[in-house]
Amino acid sequence: MSTRTVFRTRIDDVPIADGPSGPNVIWATVYFDPDEARLDDLELIRLMMFRVVNRQVTINELPMHHRYSHCLSIRVGGELPDSDAIYEVAEAMLDYFYGRVKSGEYFAIFDSTLDQEPTTSMSQPRIKAVFFDFMGTCLDWHSSVVQSLPEAITKDEASQFALEWRRQYFLETSRRVGKNLHPEDIDITLARTLETLLHQSPDHKQLFDVETKNTIIEAWHSQKAWPEVSDAIKSLRQDLALEVFVHANGTTRLQLDLARSSGLEFNMLFSSQLLGAYKPRPEAYEKGLELVKLRPEEVVLVAAHAYDLRGAQKCGLRTVYVHRWTDDIDEDMEVVKTEFDAFLENMEDLPGVIEGL
């Protein structure tokens, strides 16, 4: 179902968001949630402005509003030196639109189906594939890391150390996403965040020589699946005839190692290294959809990370949250329970839930 896609002008000789593509034309696309599509024009532009300022935008040679619902594409013409210049032009365009919409010279294009709700589940497109986040969602990373830590660290301390290391990794990845940096080798990120953590834990620092550090980073490459995951994935593939993919941040080498150690079988492994973008940037989901040649509404993302599902939701994917005690330790689960298509404590009922979406 498409929604508001582009602003057009009521008068001639003024810049407009829509227009032909060309060699010197690029498009800045901003995504929004289905509920946000019902905002009035001025509120929507303010929301778009906020996302442009915070670099929550994709840059493409073609407009995305013809392919995906719940997005607005802004045509940015001319030869611009870098992405910062593109963002600045997009911000200026939105500021211009705001004034023109407020004065009544511009209006927003709505799809005629915007306010129509599906009357039955049969009106929804059939799910054809499942994207799985990997570590945390499917795999028990915590046990592998704790077992690799020096024996001098007590069990409780080792658990807290591992949880904080994981938390530092997410903070570092979020920082890189915010700066629009290209995905780096996850081993490098883990090594850097380990040094940060050891600096904060001087009592433990002396226990970590170079060999120990290499050993515990390698431990991230060997993880077991949570007990119910294998059966859930088999049911999705065999009973529902769905394609299943890993869609996760990290390297392809990491995912190959984890698929081997866990024994889980997928149709394909999509790493941020392969996709060229970290989740939750829209490009990560868009590239995955492009590679499997499916529409967003035909794919459901299963993850134990709310930030990931929020990113997928903005791109139109269905979303299932799986709660794992090892992850999202800073999230309010009572809030998370209300955000997505389904909230599960494990994957035992996942096939039935996806069948009912």
Side-chain angles (χ1 to χ4, degrees), residues 84-105:
D84 285 338
I86 295 171
Y87 293 130
E88 290 174 5
V89 172
E91 185 178 343
M93 291 286 282
L94 284 171
D95 188 56
Y96 183 90
F97 298 153
Y98 183 88
R100 292 301 179 266
V101 170
K102 191 172 183 179
S103 69
E105 296 175 20

Side-chain angles (χ1 to χ4, degrees), residues 27-314:
W27 296 79
T29 298
V30 192
Y31 295 83
F32 46 89
D33 296 329
D35 288 343
E36 293 169 344
R38 302 178 186 280
L39 296 173
D40 66 39
D41 293 351
L42 294 179
E43 289 177 332
L44 181 66
I45 297 177
R46 282 195 290 266
L47 177 64
M48 299 300 98
M49 182 75 77
F50 173 82
R51 290 188 175 148
V52 170
V53 169
N54 287 278
R55 303 300 191 256
Q56 298 170 353
V57 180
T58 64
I59 306 298
N60 305 91
E61 294 181 356
L62 295 173
M64 293 293 104
H65 64 264
H66 295 305
R67 297 178 58 189
Y68 301 118
S69 60
H70 306 121
C71 69
L72 184 148
S73 293
I74 306 165
R75 184 175 181 267
V76 181
E79 295 184 6
L80 299 173
D82 53 33
S83 59
D84 285 338
I86 295 171
Y87 293 130
E88 290 174 5
V89 172
E91 185 178 343
M93 291 286 282
L94 284 171
D95 188 56
Y96 183 90
F97 298 153
Y98 183 88
R100 292 301 179 266
V101 170
K102 191 172 183 179
S103 69
E105 296 175 20
Y106 274 35
F107 66 101
I109 298 296
F110 291 87
D111 187 280
S112 61
T113 63
L114 176 63
D115 294 317
Q116 296 176 6
E117 297 294 340
T119 56
T120 70
S121 60
M122 292 299 291
S123 62
Q124 291 278 13
R126 183 178 71 84
I127 296 293
K128 296 181 179 179
V130 183
F131 283 0
F132 282 94
D133 178 65
F134 215 9
M135 288 196 292
T137 302
C138 296
L139 307 176
D140 176 12
W141 63 266
H142 182 268
S143 294
S144 296
V145 174
V146 167
Q147 291 169 10
S148 71
L149 293 174
E151 294 181 358
I153 301 177
T154 67
K155 183 177 180 180
D156 288 344
E157 287 179 323
S159 176
Q160 289 304 312
F161 187 94
L163 291 170
E164 182 59 23
W165 189 7
R166 175 78 159 160
R167 180 173 173 273
Q168 290 292 334
Y169 164 77
F170 278 121
L171 291 174
E172 174 64 9
T173 301
S174 178
R175 183 189 70 82
R176 293 183 62 82
V177 170
K179 292 187 175 182
N180 199 23
L181 297 176
H182 192 76
E184 71 173 355
D185 189 322
I186 191 172
D187 290 352
I188 296 174
T189 311
L190 287 170
R192 185 167 59 252
T193 51
L194 175 60
E195 292 298 334
T196 299
L197 186 56
L198 290 176
H199 181 73
Q200 298 171 357
S201 310
D203 293 341
H204 293 148
K205 190 172 184 178
Q206 60 182 345
L207 302 175
F208 290 79
D209 56 21
V210 173
E211 183 178 354
T212 300
K213 291 176 183 177
N214 290 336
T215 297
I216 61 175
I217 289 174
E218 186 62 28
W220 289 92
H221 288 252
S222 180
Q223 301 174 25
K224 300 298 183 183
W226 295 107
E228 81 288 357
V229 172
S230 179
D231 287 344
I233 291 176
K234 287 179 182 177
S235 179
L236 291 172
R237 300 185 73 178
Q238 297 175 9
D239 300 333
L240 301 184
L242 299 179
E243 295 176 325
V244 295
F245 304 91
V246 168
H247 187 276
N249 288 337
T251 59
T252 298
R253 179 70 265 166
L254 172 71
Q255 293 182 355
L256 289 168
D257 292 341
L258 293 179
R260 181 184 300 110
S261 64
S262 67
L264 299 178
E265 296 184 1
F266 298 89
N267 293 91
M268 183 68 182
L269 309 175
F270 293 132
S271 65
S272 55
Q273 178 189 43
L274 184 64
L275 298 172
Y278 285 113
K279 298 190 294 181
R281 293 194 63 83
E283 303 97 300
Y285 309 101
E286 292 168 0
K287 187 62 176 179
L289 293 169
E290 177 186 338
L291 291 171
V292 299
K293 292 190 175 181
L294 292 175
R295 301 193 307 274
E297 59 270 24
E298 295 174 325
V299 178
V300 58
L301 174 68
V302 178
H305 309 116
Y307 82 89
D308 187 5
L309 292 168
R310 290 170 187 140
Q313 201 172 53
K314 286 182 171 65

